[in-house]
Amino acid sequence: MFAPKQTVPDRPLIKGRSEISLSAFAFLFGELVQYCQTQVSNIGELERRLEDAGYGVGLRLLEVLSYRERNSRREVRLLEMLKFVHTSLWKCLFGRQARELEQSNTVSSCCLTIR
């Protein structure tokens, strides 16, 4: 009779064009930047405030995606984490997979670059 209600992590992130328009997002982002500009006295503080605002959003997005993709399994190996960023996270943020995932030849401790 009634369909079971989906929990927040089970709902799709992208619901289609009716969810939010690009112009509304641009307006909201512009207002956030403008508000932060009025609260600070130098560019370093502005960068820090915008980074703090984006950190929370990015952390929540990463948690939801990792919950959906890995079935609540947290990766601890660097290569597996970068593969997750290369495929799932990049596609959610930019609408496509990252083009390249390459290993550094110069420094042995620095291993991969995503483009």
Side-chain angles (χ1 to χ4, degrees):
M1 187 161 166
F2 290 107
K5 193 168 186 172
Q6 287 184 335
T7 61
V8 172
D10 295 327
R11 293 181 193 157
L13 285 178
I14 301 171
K15 293 185 179 183
R17 296 187 178 268
S18 63
E19 187 68 24
I20 187 169
S21 67
L22 183 59
S23 60
F25 175 75
F27 176 75
L28 181 62
F29 181 73
E31 288 295 313
L32 174 69
V33 172
Q34 190 175 23
Y35 173 75
C36 288
Q37 282 178 331
T38 62
Q39 304 295 313
V40 298
S41 59
N42 61 29
I43 193 74
E45 270 185 72
L46 176 63
E47 288 175 353
R48 186 190 56 76
R49 281 188 181 245
L50 292 174
E51 181 182 341
D52 290 345
Y55 179 81
V57 173
L59 185 62
R60 287 180 185 93
L61 177 64
L62 187 59
E63 285 176 352
V64 167
L65 285 176
S66 63
Y67 173 77
R68 290 178 182 173
E69 295 288 323
R70 305 287 184 193
N71 297 326
S72 300
R73 183 174 158 226
R74 188 176 141 229
E75 288 295 341
V76 292
R77 294 176 300 208
L78 180 63
L79 182 59
E80 295 302 317
M81 284 187 251
L82 287 171
K83 285 180 182 177
F84 171 72
V85 169
H86 177 258
T87 55
S88 303
L89 183 65
W90 205 271
K91 187 172 184 176
C92 181
L93 292 174
F94 302 109
R96 61 174 177 79
Q97 271 190 328
R99 282 178 272 151
E100 297 177 24
L101 182 65
E102 60 187 38
Q103 187 168 5
S104 173
N105 295 329
T106 57
V107 182
S108 61
S109 63
C110 179
C111 63
L112 298 169
T113 304
I114 298 175
R115 292 184 186 179

